[in-house]
Amino acid sequence: MSHPSPVDGVPSGRTLVMGVVNVTPDSFSDGGSWLEPDAAVEHGLRLADQGADLVDVGGESTRPGAGRVTPEEERRRVLPVVRALAEAGVVVSVDTTRAAVAAEAVSAGARVVNDVSGGLADPAMAGVVADADVGFVAMHWRGPSDVMDGLARYTDVVADVRRELTARVGALTDAGVDPHRVVLDPGLGFAKPGSDNWPLLAHLDALTGLGHPVLVGASRKRFLGHLLAGPDGTPAPPEARDAATAAVTALAAAAGAWCVRVHEVRASADAVRVAAAWTAASTGAPLGGHEQGGPGERPS
Ligand code: PMM
């Protein structure tokens, strides 16, 4: 993690935690819970209190098979929430594939644009990000949610994702995006059946080696539900996947991820601190700030 931070105002020296606020009726794990702006803002503030370094606000579900919402509806859902959280001092990311929504969210205070299409869904996105000079999460994507399950064919999933993300970085920087603002994301679960997600995690170095910070979004995803299936093969439901999510957080942090995107923040906030202490001890580096025990602290 030697690159400069792509986002202003976030800590350095350990993996960051991005808390998720889906202002949608139908996201797979928290759909409908934060559809009212006040509830969404309150939830975002709670996630920040629990240790989220950034809060990601999205107004369009990307669950497999989901259709689009209108741009007007997406604006109506996200902009008041972005504005209120930013005014409260939270570092806000906007989860959108629409350039116009991204531009308005940045005006409302968002410091990161998180685009699950990596700029492919809207040709105007790269220009907006270049002008705004904010962080940009470019996720690996092969097509919209209603068709993505049919686009999940890979020769070698790690090499293919690496190559397709490299092409995205080229297109974004050609369009004027500052390369140090670009974060790469393997897009777990997006046009990837369960078995394709594990090699991407196990070979995270194939992405970190591209010289950009890497974000991992494993939280509550289907491949974890399948891993934790009961004896009859029924996948564990989304709300029973948080401990596995925190385990992925610890391993992703150890593998050099810049950030993890999670629904349940507390356990991942602890996990990234454990990983930082572990890495510091293995390299002989001093522990930073709060992680250092105070003079009177008992060794228990
Ligand atoms: N996953 C979802 C939505 N947005 N953004 C990034 N960068 N990476 C992800 O893996 C990702 C994302 C889908 O999960 P949700 O519907 O629970 O938010």
Side-chain angles (χ1 to χ4, degrees):
M1 281 193 285
S2 53
H3 25 65
S5 176
V7 182
D8 306 324
V10 292
S12 59
R14 62 164 171 78
T15 301
L16 302 176
V17 177
M18 173 187 272
V20 179
V21 179
N22 284 318
V23 193
T24 61
D26 58 343
S27 289
F28 73 94
S29 83
D30 60 348
S33 302
W34 328 116
L35 191 53
E36 290 308 314
D38 287 353
V41 172
E42 199 182 308
H43 186 57
L45 293 173
R46 192 178 319 128
L47 295 181
D49 269 358
Q50 291 173 350
D53 301 295
L54 308 95
V55 171
D56 190 40
V57 179
E60 187 167 54
S61 170
T62 50
R63 67 183 297 159
R68 305 290 317 257
V69 297
T70 63
E72 294 69 35
E73 176 63 10
E74 191 183 352
R75 277 191 188 91
R76 196 192 64 74
R77 291 179 186 176
V78 298
L79 294 178
V81 181
V82 168
R83 186 171 294 108
L85 289 175
E87 279 171 4
V90 175
V91 179
V92 179
S93 149
V94 62
D95 187 342
T96 185
T97 60
R98 289 189 169 111
V101 174
E104 287 174 58
V106 168
S107 298
R111 282 191 244 170
V112 184
V113 176
N114 172 26
D115 181 350
V116 298
S117 83
L120 281 169
D122 186 337
M125 183 61 96
V128 163
V129 174
D131 288 347
D133 195 27
V134 290
F136 183 66
V137 181
M139 200 194 78
H140 178 261
W141 184 86
R142 284 196 164 173
S145 300
D146 54 345
V147 298
M148 69 180 176
D149 282 349
L151 302 169
R153 258 194 221 106
Y154 300 91
T155 310
D156 170 337
V157 69
V158 175
D160 292 353
V161 167
R162 179 184 157 99
R163 191 185 57 254
E164 289 167 34
L165 281 177
T166 302
R168 282 285 77 220
V169 173
L172 291 163
T173 51
D174 285 353
V177 176
D178 179 346
H180 108 258
R181 295 291 195 190
V182 177
V183 176
L184 300 179
D185 180 334
L188 301 176
F190 285 79
K192 294 171 198 82
S195 58
D196 279 337
N197 294 287
W198 293 108
L200 287 166
L201 286 167
H203 297 284
L204 213 56
D205 57 325
L207 297 189
T208 56
L210 292 173
H212 292 269
V214 169
L215 185 147
V216 170
S219 185
R220 295 184 177 171
K221 286 195 174 157
R222 271 186 301 180
F223 73 102
L224 296 179
H226 288 295
L227 179 74
L228 304 176
D232 66 351
T234 307
E239 62 279 8
R241 302 172 190 168
D242 284 334
T245 300
V248 173
T249 292
L251 293 165
W258 169 74
C259 184
V260 291
R261 178 182 180 278
V262 296
H263 300 84
E264 201 284 306
V265 160
R266 216 185 290 268
S268 283
D270 288 353
V272 296
R273 285 163 175 80
V274 169
W278 187 301
T279 304
S282 71
T283 60
L287 287 180
H290 301 302
E291 281 83 12
Q292 184 117 44
E297 193 162 295
R298 285 184 294 129
S300 54

